[in-house]
């Protein structure tokens, strides 16, 4: 009953608390324990202090009536603990290692004596976690610094955690590439099912398809991170996979700095078999990664000395490289010189199945089919060639290798993607007193990728950018020795623009009318995308010209309350995520497709030749295709969670982790009410009268004119009385959590969890 009353009271307090946020656990660590005398009796009101060895910052509390204490929200690092009470010798323990999101249990035993005397304990920090059922893997600073990282991205080390499986190929996992580092599963949870945080606030980006890690900090800026694979803590929600919780590095009392340069160069490599076959030299590429990092107390001579109080740390890293595996070596198919003039006779030498037919000779054939006559000798008369088609054909380069007998794979270009990346991240920590401390962190990065110039000119090729910006604020305040509060706010923003390198192209130079060119913003116009059967695509895109971006606001509040043998944490969680998309690749130039349909024969349903029929459509100027007017959107998703977690110390060896989480997710909305959400099957369609009149001219027996109806159409969210939400909202979802940690022996802990 007593436990139930604690749960009820604290959950009620959470419901009325200020609206804060999280799906993330605390990035700091905790020290908990019980102070006893040599007889095993608990000691209340003892002063417990821990000092960060690197910064000198002190956190202090007192033991409660049950002799228990908690020192939560400690930055990862090494600490020294002291316990004092009149009538007992001073207890000192050094070398306590606190990890990100870990709970270290220490149980000091005070000896009777004078407080001026001290008992120093030199034992190492316990390697066993005895106070929680949650499992995870901490990747500490030593591993981040010393383990080889080919791409220089510490997010690659998530695979050190047991149960994680790489969900993609072994592509390069550079810091600006946020897809591959996000593709892993944990304990069978599936790809893209993981959550990412920096300093306890959200670090997730979505482009409308899958959530990914937004920003990968440089290794020099990382204190450590934890891959939490099995969580039975109610403070964590909204993810079925693991949680990757990164803690950034802060300054210390000493002045520390480092510089680095990592180099990879093509001079150390040999040509591939394809480069040798084409007679091309090894493409020159370089991979230079370099940077600076440092930190110290903030000292302003004669004005302020921040030793033991205020610190800064800053990291800058740049990476310029050419990636031969991205948009680099490419075998393409381009039209032969004779083909550009309508002479396809060389194909006919390969067999009669390469014969192409004249769509200008279409005639009715028996059986409801249509016939066509062959082009004599597989030669299209030059007078029949469309002048715009001639200019479109010039967009392909001439072959530079023999290729196959039918002209495929006759062009090779080895040109690595050019990559330019830089990032900055800084942090300021300040301790107002033993009861209050905070830090502010900010970051920004920029990435540009110039790739896919497969023809060696400005016809093909795209330029991708990705820009991250983020800030975090973390404040810890001790209201009383039994009640502490932590507040965190984070903002994460990312932009992902793309443009084709031909942007600003003059469409009239290809022979298109000034009217068509006038439909396009000339500053955004590009070479048309052209698909023509066996030929390599001209002017392709990846995601599309334009930009996708997102921004999230993340607020986290956690109260910690120590009462008897109960260590209770509770708080509300709130998050707002906004995504913006403005892709318009179909708006800036025609999108052409030249089919083999028109050049096949002798009948319209005959098999098309392996190569050649698409060239008939291209040379004669018979395209399929489109242009479009694309709409942008701005979507918003909101999330609220309330949690309570009670870590109940039943005995010295047994800890129960009891939690309850309530969650609510609002339906998605779109700012400009452009989302189609329903279909109106009753109202008359605006074209109904004209459609009925046209049908009446030639009705079919199965459907009388009186029964011909044209009803309905799509309806939009937020228009005509429709709700703005995409779907009906859900009620509160309740998520119970139960964990048990039992220290069986000095080297064995048994854990059981349910959630």
């Amino acid at each position: 009953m007593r436990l139930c009353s604690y749960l009820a009271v604290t959950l009620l307090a959470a419901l009325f608390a200020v609206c804060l946020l999280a799906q993330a656990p605390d990035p700091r660590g905790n020290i908990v324990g019980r102070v006893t005398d040599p007889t095993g009796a608990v000691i209340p009101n003892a002063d417990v202090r821990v000092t960060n060895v690197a910064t000198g910052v002190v956190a202090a509390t007192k033991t409660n009536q049950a002799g228990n204490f908690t020192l939560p929200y400690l930055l990862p690092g090494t600490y020294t603990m002291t316990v004092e009470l009149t009538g007992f010798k001073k207890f000192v323990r050094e070398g306590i290692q606190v990890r990100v999101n870990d709970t270290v249990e220490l149980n000091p035993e005070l000896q009777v004596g004078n407080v001026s005397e001290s008992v120093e304990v030199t034992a190492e920090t316990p390697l066993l976690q005895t106070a929680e059922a949650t499992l995870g893997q901490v990747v500490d600073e030593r591993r981040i610094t010393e383990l080889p990282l080919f791409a220089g991205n510490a997010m690659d080390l998530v695979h050190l955690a047991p149960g994680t499986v790489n969900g993609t190929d072994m592509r390069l996992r550079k810091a600006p590439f946020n897809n591959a580092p996000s593709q892993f599963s944990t304990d069978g949870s599936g790809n893209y099912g993981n959550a990412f945080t920096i300093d306890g606030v959200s670090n997730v980006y979505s482009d409308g398809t899958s959530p990914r890690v937004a920003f990968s900090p440089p290794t020099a800026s990382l204190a450590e991170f934890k891959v939490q694979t099995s969580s039975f803590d109610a403070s964590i929600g909204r993810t079925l996979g693991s949680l990757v919780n990164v803690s950034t590095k802060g300054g210390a009392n000493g002045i520390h700095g480092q510089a680095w340069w990592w180099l990879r160069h093509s001079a150390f490599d040999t040509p591939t078999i394809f480069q040798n076959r084409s007679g091309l030299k090894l493409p020159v590429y370089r991979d230079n990664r370099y940077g600076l990092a440092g930190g110290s107390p903030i000292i302003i001579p004669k004005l302020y000395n921040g030793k033991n109080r205020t610190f800064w740390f800053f990291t800058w890293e740049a990476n310029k490289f050419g990636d031969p595996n991205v948009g680099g070596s490419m075998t393409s198919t381009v039209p032969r010189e004779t083909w550009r003039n309508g002479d396809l006779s060389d194909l006919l030498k390969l067999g009669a199945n390469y014969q192409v037919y004249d769509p200008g000779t279409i005639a009715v054939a028996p059986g409801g089919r249509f016939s066509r006559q062959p082009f004599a000798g597989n030669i299209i008369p030059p007078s029949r060639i469309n002048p715009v088609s001639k200019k479109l054909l010039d967009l392909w380069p001439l072959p530079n290798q023999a290729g196959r007998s039918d002209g495929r794979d006759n062009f090779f270009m080895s040109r690595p993607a050019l990559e330019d990346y830089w990032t900055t991240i800084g942090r300021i920590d300040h301790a107002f007193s033993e009861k209050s401390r905070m830090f502010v962190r900010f970051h920004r990065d920029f990435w540009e990728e110039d790739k896919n110039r497969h023809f060696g000119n400005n016809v093909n090729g795209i330029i991708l950018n990705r820009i991250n910006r983020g800030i975090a604020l973390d404040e810890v305040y001790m209201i009383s020795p039994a009640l502490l509060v932590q507040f965190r706010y984070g903002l994460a923003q990312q932009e992902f623009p793309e443009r084709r390198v031909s942007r600003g192209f003059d469409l009239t130079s290809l022979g298109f009318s000034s009217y068509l060119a006038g439909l396009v913003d000339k500053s955004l116009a590009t070479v048309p995308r052209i698909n023509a059967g066996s030929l390599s695509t001209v002017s392709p895109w990846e995601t599309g010209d334009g930009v996708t971006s997102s921004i999230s606001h993340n607020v986290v509040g956690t109260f910690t309350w120590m009462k008897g043998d109960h260590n209770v944490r509770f708080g509300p969680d709130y998050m707002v995520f906004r995504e913006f998309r403005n892709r318009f690749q179909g708006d800036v130039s025609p999108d052409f497709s030249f089919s083999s349909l028109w050049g096949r024969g002798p009948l319209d349903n005959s098999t098309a030749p392996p190569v050649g029929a698409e060239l008939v459509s291209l040379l004669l100027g018979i395209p399929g295709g489109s242009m479009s007017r694309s709409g942008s959107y701005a979507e918003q998703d909101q999330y609220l969670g309330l949690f309570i977690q009670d870590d109940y110390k039943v005995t010295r060896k047994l800890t129960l982790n009891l939690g309850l989480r309530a969650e609510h997710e609002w339906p998605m909305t779109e700012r400009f009410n452009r989302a189609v959400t329903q279909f109106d099957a009753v109202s008359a369609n605006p074209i109904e009268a004209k459609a009925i009149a046209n049908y009446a001219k030639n009705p079919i027996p199965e459907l009388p004119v009186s029964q011909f109806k044209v009803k309905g159409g799509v309806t939009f969210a937020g228009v005509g009385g429709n709700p703005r939400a995409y779907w009906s909202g859900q009620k509160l979802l309740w998520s119970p959590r139960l964990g048990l940690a039992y220290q069986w022996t000095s080297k064995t802990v048994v854990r059981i969890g349910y959630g």
Side-chain angles (χ1 to χ4, degrees):
M1 290 296 296
R2 186 180 65 173
L3 174 60
C4 293
S5 65
Y6 289 147
L7 289 171
V9 170
T10 51
L11 180 58
L12 185 63
L15 287 168
F16 287 97
V18 179
C19 188
L20 305 175
L21 165 111
Q23 72 180 20
D26 191 352
R28 303 174 184 249
N30 312 286
I31 297 177
V32 299
R34 175 181 291 172
V35 179
T36 60
D37 64 17
T39 68
V42 299
I43 300 179
N45 297 318
D47 293 314
V48 183
R49 296 161 57 94
V50 293
T51 304
N52 188 306
V53 174
T55 64
V57 173
V58 175
T61 188
K62 287 180 177 290
T63 57
N64 64 13
Q65 294 302 310
N68 295 316
F69 68 90
T70 179
L71 287 163
Y73 316 128
L74 301 175
L75 293 176
T78 303
Y79 288 82
T80 297
M81 170 189 282
T82 62
V83 182
E84 297 182 53
L85 183 65
T86 303
F88 295 91
K89 297 179 181 179
K90 180 179 180 181
F91 175 91
V92 180
R93 182 159 182 174
E94 300 178 343
I96 304 169
Q97 189 69 42
V98 176
R99 305 288 191 190
V100 59
N101 196 233
D102 271 0
T103 297
V104 178
E105 183 177 10
L106 299 173
N107 298 304
E109 181 182 295
L110 300 189
Q111 303 294 323
V112 177
N114 195 311
V115 74
S116 61
E117 302 177 89
S118 64
V119 177
E120 296 190 11
V121 180
T122 58
E124 296 180 355
T125 303
L127 297 178
L128 293 177
Q129 296 182 24
T130 60
E132 56 184 344
T134 295
L135 298 178
Q137 175 68 54
V138 173
V139 181
D140 59 21
E141 185 177 0
R142 181 180 177 186
R143 289 176 174 85
I144 293 172
T145 303
E146 297 182 1
L147 288 178
L149 287 170
F150 179 69
N153 184 4
M155 291 297 99
D156 213 4
L157 298 177
V158 297
H159 300 291
L160 293 177
T164 58
V165 177
N166 177 33
T168 181
D169 53 30
M170 299 306 295
R171 62 182 127 162
L172 205 59
R173 286 167 165 78
K174 291 275 192 179
F177 306 158
N178 65 351
N179 193 11
S182 307
Q183 287 184 266
F184 68 94
S185 63
T186 305
D187 299 332
S189 61
N191 275 349
Y192 299 116
N194 308 297
F196 301 89
T197 64
I198 302 181
D199 296 321
V201 292
S202 179
N203 182 34
V204 176
Y205 163 76
S206 175
D207 63 354
T209 55
S210 0
R212 308 172 187 175
V213 57
F215 173 62
S216 297
T219 57
S221 68
L222 297 179
E224 57 189 36
F225 66 90
K226 184 175 184 179
V227 185
Q228 200 154 323
T229 53
S230 298
S231 177
F232 302 102
D233 191 312
S235 67
I236 301 172
R238 215 189 182 204
T239 178
L240 293 176
S242 65
L243 177 69
V244 182
N245 191 6
V246 172
S247 178
T248 59
K249 190 182 296 184
N253 276 329
I255 299 176
H256 302 278
Q258 59 178 303
W260 60 93
W261 177 35
W262 183 92
L263 172 66
R264 181 187 175 209
H265 200 286
S266 57
F268 307 136
D269 294 344
T270 58
T272 67
I273 186 174
F274 304 104
Q275 292 161 341
N276 285 331
R277 180 185 299 170
S278 306
L280 296 176
K281 295 182 179 179
L282 189 71
V284 176
Y285 68 89
R286 295 175 293 272
D287 190 346
N288 284 281
R289 187 171 69 246
Y290 45 90
L292 300 167
S296 74
I298 293 179
I299 298 176
I300 303 175
K302 299 182 180 180
L303 292 177
Y304 184 76
N305 186 344
K307 189 174 182 181
N308 295 337
R309 183 177 291 269
T310 311
F311 312 91
W312 66 272
F313 196 89
F314 182 80
T315 304
W316 167 80
E317 184 174 74
N319 191 190
K320 295 180 182 293
F321 60 103
D323 189 347
N325 299 311
V326 179
S329 299
M330 179 76 176
T331 299
S332 305
T333 299
V334 299
R336 291 169 173 169
E337 187 170 12
T338 55
W339 295 358
R340 300 164 191 251
N341 299 312
D343 185 354
L344 309 180
S345 58
D346 52 358
L347 290 174
L348 199 54
K349 298 174 184 178
L350 302 177
N353 61 322
Y354 282 88
Q355 175 67 58
V356 296
Y357 292 79
D358 184 356
T361 63
I362 294 177
V364 176
R369 310 270 25 123
F370 295 89
S371 66
R372 295 167 184 156
Q373 299 300 315
F375 279 108
N378 251 21
I379 297 176
I380 301 172
S383 61
R384 299 275 303 277
I385 298 176
N386 187 286
V388 174
S389 297
K390 287 280 289 184
K391 293 185 177 181
L392 292 180
L393 282 161
D394 289 337
L395 296 173
W396 281 277
L398 291 171
N400 64 1
Q401 63 182 20
R404 303 192 212 178
S405 58
D406 61 2
R408 286 180 287 186
D409 300 334
N410 59 1
F411 186 84
F412 181 80
M413 174 61 62
S414 186
R415 185 170 181 174
L418 301 178
E419 314 278 353
D420 187 5
Y421 177 71
W422 59 262
T423 180
T424 58
I425 180 169
R427 173 168 161 161
I428 296 177
D429 292 71
H430 179 70
F432 296 98
S433 66
E434 294 183 0
K435 293 185 176 182
S436 177
R437 53 194 184 276
M438 67 169 292
F439 71 80
V440 177
R441 185 259 305 154
F442 59 89
H443 71 259
R444 187 181 190 277
D445 72 355
F446 174 86
W447 167 66
E448 181 169 288
E449 181 177 61
D450 185 341
K451 67 176 183 179
N452 295 354
R453 297 181 186 247
H454 299 143
F455 294 165
N457 53 28
N458 289 334
V459 172
N460 280 10
I462 60 174
I463 294 177
L464 302 176
N465 292 111
R466 187 175 292 117
I467 303 103
N468 280 294
R469 302 176 183 89
I471 59 175
L473 170 67
D474 185 301
E475 163 72 16
V476 175
Y477 184 75
M478 179 184 289
I479 300 173
S480 72
L483 182 62
L484 296 89
V485 62
Q486 184 192 34
F487 168 83
R488 299 195 300 275
Y489 167 76
L491 179 148
Q493 188 263 346
Q494 184 176 107
E495 299 172 20
F496 186 20
E498 176 183 329
R499 69 182 188 276
R500 280 176 275 183
V501 297
S502 60
R503 176 175 285 189
F505 183 76
D506 182 5
L507 289 171
T508 61
S509 66
L510 295 176
F512 294 117
S513 67
S514 58
Y515 174 77
L516 183 144
L519 298 175
V520 175
D521 184 336
K522 292 180 174 57
S523 66
L524 302 177
T526 68
V527 169
R529 184 171 74 160
I530 306 172
N531 287 298
S534 62
L535 300 180
S536 295
T537 302
V538 169
S539 189
W541 58 76
E542 190 167 287
T543 305
D545 300 80
V547 62
T548 304
S549 61
S550 69
I551 186 169
S552 65
H553 297 275
N554 191 202
V555 187
V556 181
T558 304
F559 295 86
T560 298
W561 178 37
M562 174 69 76
K563 181 66 174 179
D565 292 326
H566 299 272
N567 186 11
V568 181
R569 288 173 289 123
F570 59 93
D573 308 341
Y574 173 77
M575 180 176 184
V576 58
F577 184 87
R578 298 187 178 113
E579 178 185 304
F580 313 93
R581 188 176 180 91
N582 186 22
R583 300 281 183 186
F584 44 77
Q585 59 275 3
D587 302 18
V588 294
S589 65
D591 184 8
F592 289 129
S593 176
F594 293 94
S595 169
S596 64
L597 173 67
W598 300 103
R600 67 179 64 182
L603 297 176
D604 61 290
N605 64 344
S606 298
T607 302
V611 175
E614 69 276 8
L615 291 165
V616 172
S617 298
L618 177 55
L619 287 162
L620 297 182
I622 313 175
S626 64
M627 291 184 69
S628 62
R629 282 291 178 266
S630 304
S632 60
Y633 68 73
E635 292 179 329
Q636 176 173 283
D637 179 26
Q638 296 183 78
Y639 167 83
L640 174 67
L642 302 168
F643 76 91
I644 179 171
Q645 178 74 28
D646 184 5
D647 298 320
Y648 176 29
K649 192 70 174 178
V650 182
T651 69
R652 293 179 64 91
K653 293 186 175 183
L654 176 62
T655 301
L656 291 180
N657 308 124
L658 307 173
L660 181 63
R661 187 176 185 88
E663 298 180 323
H664 176 70
E665 189 136 12
W666 279 265
M668 193 175 294
T669 57
E670 202 281 322
R671 179 183 297 173
F672 305 107
N673 296 330
R674 293 172 177 169
V676 174
T677 57
Q678 301 177 54
F679 186 87
D680 180 358
V682 177
S683 301
N685 193 286
I687 66 169
E688 182 177 37
K690 190 171 184 179
I692 293 175
N694 287 336
Y695 179 74
K697 296 176 182 178
N698 190 21
I700 60 176
E702 293 82 0
L703 183 65
V705 174
S706 60
Q707 296 182 19
F708 184 86
K709 307 293 182 183
V710 183
K711 298 292 185 183
V714 297
T715 61
F716 292 84
V719 178
N722 293 331
R724 294 193 64 234
Y726 286 9
W727 52 77
S728 299
Q730 64 182 16
K731 298 180 180 179
L732 278 179
L733 301 179
W734 299 92
S735 302
R737 310 290 172 83
L738 173 64
L740 177 151
Y742 180 72
Q743 188 170 2
W744 193 357
T745 69
S746 60
K747 296 183 178 181
T748 304
V749 176
V750 177
R751 308 177 196 281
I752 300 174
Y754 166 81

